[in-house]
Amino acid sequence: MKHPLLASMMALSGLAAADSLPLIPQPVSVKPGEGAFDFTAATGIRYDRTLKAEADLFAADLQKLTGNAPKTASEEMRILLPSEIRLDVDAAADLPVGGYKLEITPKTVVVTGKDAAGAYYGTRTLLQLLPAANDPAWKDQAPEKLPAVSISDYPRFAWRGMMLDCGRHFFEVKDVKRFIDELAYHKLNVFHWHLTEDQGWRIEIKKYPKLTETGSWRESSPPYGNRNSDDGKRYGGFYTQEQVKDIVAYATARHITVVPEIEMPGHAAAAITAYPKLGNDDIPGYAPKVMTRWGVHPYTFAPTEDTFRFIDDVFTEVCALFPSKYIHIGGDEAPKDQWDKSPRVQELKKKENLKDGHDVQSYFVKRVEKILAKKGRKLIGWDEIREGGLSPEATVMSWRGEKGGIDSAKEGHDVVMAANSHLYFDHYQEPKEAALAKGGDKEAIGGFLPLSKVYSYDPVPKALTAAEGKHVLGVQAQLWAEYFHDFPKMEYMAFPRIAALAEIAWTPLERKNFEDFRGRLDGVLKHYDAAGLKHGDPDQPK
């Protein structure tokens, strides 16, 4: 039988019908054909031998939808498939990196990727064209109709990211993998994994076992409804190195790069509690602890040789676990009070001719950049790393509006736009009063960020010239987890705003239209519901 949404579209005619396919992000080019391909339980997957991994993942996804495991065969295998979806790769195709073409006719379905990533993205498009897993359409044996269409598609930006904070609240491996699956479904390709915080250190470092023995646990957390109170429950958890390897491999198979964030010089109370010599232990009243309140706390790493040796050791293990080009060092919200009181830091300022705390932070970040460069990695940090002077090769993640990104791009630095005005998904996605009326567990940090505002964002600021705009690597949204006590709450805050992020990151600016996006979103919402994903109401005041 026909997917109800597709049936209504096929009743239309011309380009409007094809452009209304329930696809997010909106493809670059969509040209309608005539007729439809019959997708049945007998439809198999034939793949280029270099695409076996992508074919296997696609087959597993189709089985989740249909309940049937499709047969798969490489081009060399002489296995007859009654009907087939072909996965090909053509490095010479007239497409950018990550691009693909999808050709559906009544007789064939062919996905041709510029590379393996492109072929994989083409399979994500096909999944969205099929009914959701819980659709009654799958209960009979009638073929599903895939409308004839020719799609040529590729991403606008190379960095299409989503950050998940596991420092404030710890999420199980199975939940992190579920999150990665949804990033892949939306053709996002960077998972920024925030792993250390004042409230918890979440990654095993074998040379420094106290980081997790001590630093991963706090004595209490603020309950919903009273952020200045305590629930009195010991809280913690961390990822072993084997678990990290598993998650990185899982993401890599889905063409997602995992970028770890190890916070420094601020947001370091958990690490300093584990190893107090890492902090400014020469100041009065020094008593570090793993923090039990949210917000910005005073404990910063001391800019000493012992600290830099520790950081070098930590990044040796981190770089062995994460193959990503970039390592995120945080760099945000680092109070200078303890440095101002530290006799050691005052001596350092004289020795290195540093004027103030901003200069000390710049000195710290530049030292860390050299550590990472020796390991063949690039430093990326929040826009505070500009304070006191930006390190030579650093990439800036601009969160405090766009100024940090604009200034950095004008200076020739690469940037990722992550503006808190449009891309902080820990903000309410419905008015605060309406959210709290549904229960205290709907509490958020503040703000109001409806779907329409997310969608309106353009990652390339108008203040940049065309040449300067090329330094914008892409765009990323953030999920800070102070008010995500469990994974369903995180999902509720993330979805469907992730769909808007996906279209910001992928679709050409001239192809974007919110009303059209909202219509296409209904089909994607059905997939969310079938997967049991919690999500907010997409229809909020603009």
Side-chain angles (χ1 to χ4, degrees):
M1 65 179 289
K2 293 178 182 177
H3 182 343
L5 191 57
L6 295 183
S8 65
M9 292 170 193
M10 292 171 67
L12 302 174
S13 61
L15 184 60
D19 268 6
S20 297
L21 293 175
L23 300 176
I24 292 177
Q26 174 80 295
V28 173
S29 172
V30 180
K31 297 179 181 178
E34 294 184 1
F37 176 85
D38 285 346
F39 178 89
T40 71
T43 301
I45 303 168
R46 194 174 298 278
Y47 57 88
D48 179 282
R49 59 186 176 83
T50 65
L51 298 177
K52 184 179 188 309
E54 288 70 26
D56 288 345
L57 286 174
F58 185 39
D61 290 329
L62 289 176
Q63 184 173 5
K64 290 176 186 176
L65 280 183
T66 68
N68 298 312
K71 291 183 178 179
T72 63
S74 70
E75 291 177 334
E76 293 82 5
M77 295 180 180
R78 296 184 177 181
I79 297 175
L80 179 64
L81 300 174
S83 70
E84 63 183 47
I85 296 171
R86 292 183 58 87
L87 303 185
D88 289 333
V89 65
D90 181 5
D94 185 21
L95 289 167
V97 171
Y100 69 93
K101 292 183 178 179
L102 170 61
E103 301 287 342
I104 301 177
T105 73
K107 293 185 178 180
T108 62
V109 177
V110 181
V111 175
T112 304
K114 172 77 171 185
D115 46 30
Y120 181 74
Y121 297 141
T123 65
R124 303 306 90 185
T125 297
L126 280 171
L127 288 176
Q128 289 190 8
L129 288 173
L130 289 166
N134 62 353
D135 195 293
W138 296 117
K139 292 182 179 179
D140 59 38
Q141 299 301 311
E144 297 303 320
K145 300 290 186 179
L146 287 172
V149 69
S150 176
I151 294 175
S152 180
D153 200 14
Y154 50 85
R156 181 184 178 195
F157 293 106
W159 188 298
R160 306 181 301 281
M162 192 73 234
M163 192 242 21
L164 179 62
D165 169 16
C166 293
R168 273 57 174 252
H169 282 99
F170 175 78
F171 300 115
E172 299 291 340
V173 170
K174 64 179 178 60
D175 293 327
V176 175
K177 287 182 174 180
R178 176 178 166 93
F179 187 62
I180 288 169
D181 283 335
E182 292 306 321
L183 300 189
Y185 182 81
H186 292 85
K187 301 187 177 79
L188 299 176
N189 70 336
V190 177
F191 171 42
H192 173 176
W193 198 5
H194 187 83
L195 286 165
T196 71
E197 257 305 335
D198 288 313
Q199 296 84 9
W201 181 284
R202 304 292 178 217
I203 179 171
E204 177 189 23
I205 302 296
K206 293 185 182 296
K207 190 168 183 176
Y208 298 96
K210 290 182 182 178
L211 288 172
T212 47
E213 291 172 0
T214 300
S216 71
W217 294 93
R218 61 177 179 259
E219 292 307 312
S220 185
S221 306
Y224 284 130
N226 190 347
R227 56 189 68 183
N228 294 312
S229 183
D230 298 285
D231 64 8
K233 299 175 183 176
R234 192 166 184 262
Y235 182 91
F238 67 93
Y239 304 98
T240 68
Q241 292 199 1
E242 289 306 308
Q243 289 174 323
V244 170
K245 291 176 187 176
D246 181 34
I247 287 170
V248 170
Y250 191 87
T252 301
R254 289 152 180 80
H255 297 278
I256 291 173
T257 299
V258 184
V259 176
E261 181 178 356
I262 309 297
E263 276 271 18
M264 60 189 69
H267 288 282
I272 292 169
T273 303
Y275 294 95
K277 285 291 184 183
L278 298 173
N280 301 285
D281 62 352
D282 58 342
I283 65 172
Y286 183 76
K289 70 170 187 174
V290 182
M291 293 299 169
T292 60
R293 292 285 188 278
W294 314 134
V296 178
H297 297 281
Y299 283 88
T300 53
F301 283 121
T304 64
E305 294 308 311
D306 284 345
T307 297
F308 292 121
R309 276 191 290 272
F310 164 81
I311 291 169
D312 197 333
D313 291 340
V314 167
F315 279 140
T316 293
E317 295 192 33
V318 167
C319 289
L321 295 169
F322 296 91
S324 56
K325 174 182 177 181
Y326 291 95
I327 303 294
H328 205 298
I329 69 153
D332 60 310
E333 298 175 332
K336 312 302 188 288
D337 300 3
Q338 291 190 348
W339 289 346
D340 291 341
K341 297 174 183 176
S342 165
R344 279 198 307 256
V345 176
Q346 299 314 307
E347 290 176 12
L348 175 71
K349 286 165 69 175
K350 292 176 183 177
K351 178 183 176 183
E352 299 293 338
N353 194 28
L354 307 175
K355 298 188 300 294
D356 54 23
H358 293 310
D359 279 2
V360 175
Q361 175 153 329
S362 178
Y363 167 83
F364 191 104
V365 172
K366 288 174 181 176
R367 287 287 303 268
V368 175
E369 182 179 58
K370 290 178 181 177
I371 290 170
L372 288 172
K374 285 192 306 180
K375 303 179 192 304
R377 306 305 177 90
K378 289 199 69 172
L379 179 150
I380 186 170
W382 303 107
D383 54 59
E384 286 97 328
I385 65 173
R386 292 183 51 80
E387 294 172 357
L390 191 56
S391 50
E393 302 299 324
T395 297
V396 172
M397 190 166 278
S398 185
W399 75 276
R400 296 179 298 178
E402 294 186 329
K403 187 177 187 304
I406 291 169
D407 291 346
S408 299
K410 285 182 176 294
E411 294 166 6
H413 291 271
D414 289 339
V415 301
V416 176
M417 303 306 289
N420 59 353
S421 58
H422 291 74
L423 299 168
Y424 267 41
F425 291 178
D426 52 322
H427 292 184
Y428 287 103
Q429 62 175 320
E430 57 187 326
K432 178 180 178 179
E433 295 75 15
L436 294 181
K438 297 177 180 178
D441 64 338
K442 297 298 186 290
E443 181 185 10
I445 193 169
F448 175 42
L449 182 57
L451 185 69
S452 56
K453 185 173 181 180
V454 177
Y455 190 85
S456 71
Y457 189 66
D458 180 7
V460 181
K462 291 181 172 58
L464 297 180
T465 66
E468 292 164 348
K470 291 180 181 178
H471 285 291
V472 178
L473 300 180
V475 61
Q476 180 175 290
Q478 283 57 246
L479 285 162
W480 298 108
E482 290 96 329
Y483 301 94
F484 306 163
H485 291 195
D486 54 36
F487 198 72
K489 173 65 178 293
M490 187 284 296
E491 290 182 340
Y492 167 78
M493 298 298 285
F495 299 95
R497 290 185 288 193
I498 277 180
L501 170 69
E503 197 140 310
I504 293 168
W506 183 282
T507 302
L509 191 59
E510 64 274 13
R511 291 276 288 164
K512 285 179 60 190
N513 177 283
F514 181 74
E515 285 69 27
D516 180 66
F517 164 82
R518 178 61 191 88
R520 287 180 280 115
L521 182 62
D522 283 337
V524 173
L525 290 174
K526 291 181 179 179
H527 285 275
Y528 291 174
D529 292 338
L533 276 175
K534 305 295 181 185
H535 61 81
D537 181 352
D539 297 316
Q540 296 298 329
K542 294 183 181 180

